[in-house]
Amino acid sequence: MRLFCILGCMLAISSWGGRRALAEDSFIPADQAQSRFVDLARRIDTGAIAALPVQNNGRIKPLDSLAREAIVFMTGKYGMWGLSPLQIYLGLMLDESSSSVPLIEVRDPELRRDLGLAAGRRFFSAVELQTTDLENQAAPLSKKEESNSKSLSSKESKILETYRELMLSRAVAAGNHFFTALDFSSRTDMQHGAETGTIQQAAERYLRALSAADREQARMSARELIELVNAYPLPDILKPYRDTVKIEVFYNQARLFLIAAIAYLLIAILILIPQTRAYLGRNGVLGLLAIPVSIHALGFGLRVYISRFAPVTNMYGTMLWVSFGVALFSAVLYFFYRQAIVVGLLLVASASVLLLTHNLPLILSPDMDPIVAVLRSNFWLTTHVLTITISYAAFTVAMVLGNTGLVANLIGVRDAGFYKRYAHFTYRMIQLGVFLISAGIILGGIWADYSWGRFWGWDPKETWALIADLGFLMILHARYVGWLRDFGLLASSAAAYLLVIMAWYGVNFVLAAGLHSYGFSSGGATFVAIFVSTQVALLAASLLIRRYTAKISAVTM
């Protein structure tokens, strides 16, 4: 039966993808191929097939998610030319000249020059990349990565990434990617090979109906295909994922976090404008704030429901959680201190974090694939990871308030009451952050003792979390004994946040070492470098202005 399934799958793939061999050697100008492709893909109705369950990366997910992940990897975007990821994905299989469509992003300018590609372009077709030396350069790098993945240089990693984009585009265009995701059988699952073969045949009928532009037949074939997949007997561990595919399609297409970001920004503008701020009043501010917070919380709820785990299993999840925490803490500050301007500033920060996550899907992957075994404890994820990352939200609030003081100093604000108020808010947020990160570190130690047999091991993630904790503890101590006054506290909170950046981003993306290997990734260095450089420059400029102003005041007195 397994042999039958394999043969059926191969026949389906070959019968669908064989005709592409004729198009591989022919060259169509990129603009002409793009225009033709967009016209074809725009006519594809994806509604009937979006919720088709497929198997990929250890879980059942809707075809909509499979397409999104593939298109994001190839293009770095959720869509192009007004097309949805699923329209692009299906269009690649339907368009015989899709290999001439400029969809593959060559992200590194130096690599574009080395390959002899146009330096001013970012997107190239498979045909164009096949004429370069990319495949020859990538071949030895794959073997090198297999022996030691950390031995690759930055340039070599970019070559390999671009080569994999090319390979993925070929697999999608030929149908291999799609048909492989519809193969639900396993090596030990011998009795269900016939059912899998039937699924492959139904998928072939669906694609043929799409190719013939027969919408009614395509809808009927899509329904048939989904029914066959839903009837297929899956292992118990995968069944819950199949039950959530429709919810995941809604989650993908609703873009709740983007909506929340826009709502945060709009409300921040209303709050920061004096006329509308006066009109809103206390209840108006809290009522408006409840709207994006509710949307944000709904997105979290759906993410937890789909993945079955707390929403902090990757960097993307922690960014969403920190943004949520900043919004919540802004509401808390407003409830106790009635400072609407503070709420407006913090909502801008919360929106900025959400927009960053939305616009960097390659660096901050939004996927919900299964996590490594050591993390599969909802209790510890909820108690340890959520606690640590919500402390980052408190420190982010302190950083924003601290930078507000630095900017105010630069533009000539000399009101002592202003600095006293903002220093008080910052002090309270640092107290909250230190409590949370300390509790998180202790909980993490208990989890480490349970999982690894030791409470503390000076792992880079552990060490930098402790360094950040101690850095903010020093600020609290210095404030308590009188070493730091109002402006000094604000400046110190902004400087200490760089320790959070290292603990949060640096360990995973720069050091990439230690037992917390589940969090390793790459990219984003430019954005972080800009933030750090800007923060250091702002600190230096504001401190110089402060010192100069103090000298002038001493002379005039």
Side-chain angles (χ1 to χ4, degrees):
M1 285 294 186
R2 176 65 181 171
L3 178 60
F4 173 84
C5 172
I6 294 173
L7 291 174
C9 184
M10 291 175 63
L11 286 171
I13 294 172
S14 62
S15 64
W16 180 253
R19 60 183 174 77
R20 319 200 80 79
L22 298 174
E24 288 289 329
D25 297 328
S26 60
F27 177 77
I28 299 176
D31 55 349
Q32 182 180 336
Q34 176 182 321
S35 177
R36 172 178 165 176
F37 176 81
V38 171
D39 288 341
L40 182 152
R42 187 171 287 132
R43 295 193 296 269
I44 297 175
D45 179 10
T46 60
I49 200 67
L52 170 67
V54 296
Q55 183 171 237
N56 178 256
N57 288 341
R59 79 175 179 102
I60 301 296
K61 63 183 70 172
L63 180 62
D64 186 73
S65 292
L66 182 76
R68 281 164 61 89
E69 292 163 9
I71 300 307
V72 163
F73 183 68
M74 283 190 281
T75 68
K77 301 179 180 181
Y78 287 113
M80 294 181 69
W81 311 310
L83 302 173
S84 71
L86 188 49
Q87 284 178 316
I88 297 173
Y89 185 87
L90 294 172
L92 286 172
M93 286 189 279
L94 298 178
D95 188 357
E96 294 184 1
S97 59
S98 62
S99 60
S100 297
V101 179
L103 268 172
I104 304 171
E105 184 184 22
V106 182
R107 300 171 184 113
D108 183 45
E110 183 180 348
L111 178 58
R112 293 199 291 268
R113 288 193 298 270
D114 291 346
L115 295 176
L117 301 170
R121 289 175 56 193
R122 291 179 64 89
F123 296 94
F124 301 87
S125 68
V127 170
E128 289 175 296
L129 290 178
Q130 285 164 190
T131 62
T132 69
D133 194 41
L134 177 63
E135 296 192 48
N136 291 332
Q137 292 185 38
L141 298 181
S142 297
K143 297 179 180 178
K144 184 178 180 181
E145 184 185 41
E146 288 177 7
S147 60
N148 184 4
S149 60
K150 295 182 180 179
S151 65
L152 292 177
S153 66
S154 176
K155 181 179 178 180
E156 290 173 335
S157 296
K158 290 170 183 175
I159 292 172
L160 206 52
E161 179 186 53
T162 305
Y163 174 70
R164 285 171 177 161
E165 290 178 61
L166 174 60
M167 291 297 99
L168 178 59
S169 72
R170 288 177 176 174
V172 172
N176 298 36
H177 192 261
F178 177 58
F179 284 103
T180 299
L182 285 172
D183 181 6
F184 296 95
S185 60
S186 64
R187 293 183 184 277
T188 58
D189 187 17
M190 305 297 291
Q191 68 271 30
H192 298 299
E195 286 94 329
T196 299
T198 304
I199 289 172
Q200 302 283 341
Q201 293 166 11
E204 173 74 7
R205 287 194 293 273
Y206 169 72
L207 291 176
R208 290 196 183 282
L210 276 187
S211 183
D214 188 340
R215 291 197 171 193
E216 184 58 33
Q217 182 59 45
R219 282 193 289 268
M220 291 174 59
S221 298
R223 285 196 296 269
E224 177 197 10
L225 180 55
I226 291 174
E227 288 173 3
L228 286 170
V229 172
N230 285 331
Y232 188 89
L234 291 176
D236 291 340
I237 195 173
L238 294 178
K239 286 179 181 178
Y241 291 110
R242 185 167 59 185
D243 297 335
T244 63
V245 291
K246 290 183 179 179
I247 298 295
E248 188 168 346
V249 171
F250 170 78
Y251 170 86
N252 289 341
Q253 298 179 358
R255 299 192 292 182
L256 295 171
F257 297 120
L258 178 60
I259 293 173
I262 295 171
Y264 282 136
L265 278 180
L266 292 176
I267 294 170
I269 293 170
L270 290 175
I271 292 174
L272 293 174
I273 296 174
Q275 292 80 2
T276 53
R277 182 169 68 247
Y279 175 78
L280 287 172
R282 175 192 171 190
N283 292 335
V285 170
L286 291 176
L288 281 178
L289 184 55
I291 297 172
V293 168
S294 299
I295 297 171
H296 203 150
L298 175 60
F300 269 132
L302 292 178
R303 193 170 176 85
V304 172
Y305 177 71
I306 294 165
S307 67
R308 300 293 198 274
F309 286 99
V312 285
T313 55
N314 56 18
M315 190 70 175
Y316 176 87
T318 64
M319 295 280 282
L320 298 178
W321 181 238
V322 167
S323 172
F324 187 70
V326 170
L328 281 181
F329 293 150
S330 71
V332 171
L333 285 174
Y334 184 74
F335 181 81
F336 284 107
Y337 300 109
R338 307 291 192 274
Q339 292 290 317
I341 294 178
V342 171
V343 175
L345 293 172
L346 294 177
L347 291 187
V348 171
S350 186
S352 299
V353 174
L354 286 180
L355 291 173
L356 188 66
T357 61
H358 179 77
N359 287 287
L360 297 175
L362 278 173
I363 299 168
L364 305 171
S365 173
D367 70 66
M368 292 180 280
D369 292 338
I371 53 180
V372 295
V374 73
L375 285 181
R376 291 177 189 171
S377 170
N378 262 322
F379 174 78
W380 289 114
L381 274 177
T382 303
T383 56
H384 165 57
V385 184
L386 284 183
T387 304
I388 286 282
T389 49
I390 201 67
S391 76
Y392 295 164
F395 293 139
T396 301
V397 171
M399 178 271 295
V400 172
L401 296 175
N403 279 314
T404 302
L406 295 177
V407 172
N409 180 62
L410 280 178
I411 62 177
V413 175
R414 298 293 173 256
D415 180 10
F418 169 85
Y419 294 103
K420 184 176 182 179
R421 287 194 305 274
Y422 276 71
H424 178 70
F425 305 151
T426 303
Y427 185 70
R428 292 303 185 204
M429 282 295 106
I430 293 176
Q431 285 180 313
L432 177 60
V434 165
F435 169 76
L436 290 169
I437 197 172
S438 299
I441 289 172
I442 294 170
L443 290 168
I446 297 171
W447 190 9
D449 185 53
Y450 174 77
S451 297
W452 297 326
R454 92 292 186 278
F455 182 84
W456 189 266
W458 297 107
D459 185 76
K461 196 74 172 177
E462 299 168 354
T463 304
W464 276 102
L466 179 61
I467 290 172
D469 192 10
L470 293 176
F472 281 99
L473 270 171
M474 290 172 61
I475 294 175
L476 293 180
H477 177 74
R479 175 69 169 181
Y480 182 76
V481 300
W483 295 344
L484 283 177
R485 297 186 178 179
D486 297 333
F487 180 79
L489 176 68
L490 294 172
S492 298
S493 66
Y497 192 74
L498 299 180
L499 300 176
V500 174
I501 293 295
M502 187 62 196
W504 188 12
Y505 168 87
V507 173
N508 290 15
F509 286 72
V510 179
L511 296 182
L515 289 172
H516 293 74
S517 57
Y518 55 84
F520 293 171
S521 190
S522 61
T526 301
F527 293 94
V528 174
I530 291 172
F531 174 83
V532 172
S533 301
T534 303
Q535 183 66 84
V536 171
L538 180 58
L539 275 165
S542 191
L543 290 173
L544 287 173
I545 290 292
R546 190 79 175 179
R547 186 173 182 181
Y548 175 76
T549 304
K551 285 184 177 181
I552 294 297
S553 299
V555 170
T556 55
M557 290 178 63

